[in-house]
């Protein structure tokens, strides 16, 4: 599994590439749109930024997967949005917009999972590495 330091470093490089290229470099990874997710730190209350991909869209909702490469624990960004679902999302280095995060219900996750793994087969491999059920999150436009 990748270390936290490696993940943060890669995320920082990804954000820098998006910013410096005006959204031309890094707007999609593996054919899936990338997004910058800003959550509120559950302990610090400070903004926390993570770079993710959205392998599936459901209407206006962007779907993200809390895989952390198949680790046995959830990523910090997931724990943050679980505690405070008010997030900001920027696509392709564009402006941030307010969204509400919602964890998919078990039946909803079951319907989405085949679409997710079809879009990015790594997710099936990640699920096989861990005994936890990898959460699926829908990021929906805030009203």
């Amino acid at each position: 599994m990748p270390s936290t330091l490696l993940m943060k470093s890669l995320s920082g490089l990804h954000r820098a590439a998006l910013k410096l290229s005006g959204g031309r470099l890094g707007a999609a990874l593996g054919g899936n749109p990338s997004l910058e997710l800003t959550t509120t730190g559950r302990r610090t209350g400070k903004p926390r930024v993570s770079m993710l991909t959205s392998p599936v869209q459901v209407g206006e909702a962007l779907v993200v997967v809390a895989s952390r490469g198949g680790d046995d624990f959830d990523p910090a960004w997931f724990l943050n949005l679980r505690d405070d679902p008010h997030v900001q999302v920027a696509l392709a280095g564009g402006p941030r917009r307010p969204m509400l995060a919602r964890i998919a219900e078990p039946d909803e996750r079951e319907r989405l999972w085949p679409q997710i793994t079809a879009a990015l087969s790594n997710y099936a491999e990640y699920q096989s590495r861990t005994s936890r059920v990898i959460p699926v999150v829908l990021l929906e436009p805030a009203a």
Side-chain angles (χ1 to χ4, degrees), residues 55-59 61-65 102-120 123 135-140:
V56 175
Q57 288 190 334
V58 177
L62 302 167
V63 176
V64 293
V65 181
R102 179 176 64 78
I103 301 166
E105 296 294 331
D107 62 325
E108 187 176 28
R109 182 197 182 278
E110 189 175 322
R111 282 193 314 274
L112 289 170
W113 194 252
Q115 296 172 53
I116 291 167
T117 58
L120 192 61
Y123 288 123
V136 171
V137 177
L138 287 88
L139 306 171
E140 301 170 325

Side-chain angles (χ1 to χ4, degrees), residues 22-65:
R24 290 184 305 278
L25 292 176
L29 296 174
N32 297 294
S34 65
L35 61 90
E36 181 181 282
L37 174 70
T38 304
T39 60
T40 301
R42 64 193 182 285
R43 293 187 202 129
T44 65
K46 294 180 180 178
R48 300 294 183 211
V49 178
S50 300
M51 295 302 296
L52 305 171
T53 59
S54 178
V56 175
Q57 288 190 334
V58 177
E60 292 186 67
L62 302 167
V63 176
V64 293
V65 181

Side-chain angles (χ1 to χ4, degrees), residues 74-93:
D74 294 320
W77 63 261
F78 174 78
L79 300 174
N80 290 343
L81 67 75
R82 181 193 64 194
D83 289 359
D84 181 356
H86 298 88
V87 300
Q88 298 279 321
V89 174
L91 289 169

